[in-house]
Amino acid sequence: MTYETIIFDLGGVILNLRYENTLEKFSEIIGKPVEPFYTQKEQTELFDEYEKGNISSDAFRKGIKELLNEPLTDDQIDEAWNAMLLDLPVERVEMLKEVAKNYRIFLLSNTNDIHIQAFDKIVSDTLGNDFGDFRGLFEKGYYSYEMSDRKPHPSIFEKVVTENNLDKSKTLFIDDSIQHVEGAKKAGLHAHHLSDLNVIGFLKSIGIY
């Protein structure tokens, strides 16, 4: 298969994640086990609405307090919510720079304002304060909370395709969540489920990097 365009997910593909960290941090803060209300494959409506930008960060925090029935502070909520965000391997940044020389590359991430503020700090801590917006590595970067839509809905993939006049038959989407991969396929894209966090190895295996 000859591709012209690669669409990358962010968390779990470029940025390392561990979803369990958030539940563990909430449990640590309130001093008792927390039911798994947020996982890689499933989440409650509160998180869907926040990732689509339909509610504010303040409304999200209020929802967390109600969900856990605990008098948490905003800082405690942000700390636990951001605990799932780990490191940004520099070799993946270098990979993106190289791949961009021969392919059109895009970023498509389900995310939210609290996470992006934390991610921007990870970027500056890792790559330097003068690096700028991470999305500058791509032809264009899309964050779900700015689009009023989220993966795995085929509509979000259609927006990226239409806005950038992409050829679906020559576009590859890479994500670590199988439901997002299935959504991309429903939209007519080629899609790969990255199950081992080794995006560099995968791209080498298909001759892209």
Side-chain angles (χ1 to χ4, degrees):
M1 175 58 63
T2 300
Y3 298 112
E4 295 177 349
T5 304
I6 317 294
I7 303 174
F8 292 89
D9 175 35
L10 178 57
V13 173
I14 299 169
L15 176 73
N16 285 328
L17 290 182
R18 185 175 182 271
Y19 293 91
E20 296 84 358
N21 282 9
T22 284
L23 297 174
E24 291 169 4
K25 178 57 71 171
F26 274 123
S27 296
E28 176 187 320
I29 290 170
I30 67 178
K32 63 182 180 182
V34 170
E35 290 295 321
F37 55 77
Y38 186 93
T39 67
Q40 183 175 14
K41 292 185 178 180
E42 188 175 9
Q43 58 197 52
T44 67
E45 184 178 359
L46 172 67
F47 302 97
D48 286 349
E49 290 301 294
Y50 189 41
E51 287 189 337
K52 288 190 289 186
N54 291 342
I55 61 173
S56 67
S57 293
D58 285 342
F60 172 73
R61 295 184 185 105
K62 182 175 183 289
I64 289 288
K65 294 173 188 177
E66 293 173 350
L67 185 66
L68 296 178
N69 194 27
E70 293 286 342
L72 298 165
T73 67
D74 289 352
D75 286 344
Q76 286 175 323
I77 291 170
D78 289 2
E79 179 186 8
W81 183 231
N82 289 331
M84 69 177 77
L85 309 181
L86 303 180
D87 60 304
L88 176 65
V90 175
E91 59 268 23
R92 293 180 192 163
V93 176
E94 295 304 315
M95 173 273 293
L96 292 171
K97 293 177 181 178
E98 287 300 313
V99 173
K101 293 177 181 179
N102 298 301
Y103 299 86
R104 298 179 70 185
I105 67 170
F106 295 85
L107 182 70
L108 178 59
S109 174
N110 281 358
T111 190
N112 53 83
D113 182 57
I114 295 174
H115 272 172
I116 287 302
Q117 290 187 48
F119 174 64
D120 286 346
K121 185 176 187 308
I122 292 172
V123 170
S124 63
D125 288 348
T126 305
L127 304 174
N129 292 329
D130 58 347
F131 183 80
D133 188 345
F134 186 77
R135 289 185 286 186
L137 290 168
F138 303 85
E139 186 170 326
K140 189 166 184 181
Y142 291 88
Y143 293 151
S144 63
Y145 77 106
E146 296 175 341
M147 301 174 72
S148 299
D149 203 352
R150 68 184 298 278
K151 300 175 290 185
H153 301 154
S155 53
I156 198 169
F157 298 101
E158 293 288 356
K159 289 177 184 176
V160 176
V161 167
T162 300
E163 285 187 11
N164 300 285
N165 195 28
L166 305 183
D167 182 342
K168 291 181 181 180
S169 70
K170 296 182 179 180
T171 299
L172 174 65
F173 172 66
I174 303 172
D175 200 295
D176 66 317
S177 295
I178 186 63
Q179 68 272 24
H180 299 164
V181 168
E182 294 302 325
K185 289 180 178 178
K186 287 179 182 177
L189 304 178
H190 297 278
H192 175 75
H193 179 216
L194 191 70
S195 58
D196 62 0
L197 298 181
N198 187 3
V199 65
I200 291 176
F202 168 65
L203 292 176
K204 286 182 176 178
S205 74
I206 60 173
I208 286 178
Y209 179 54

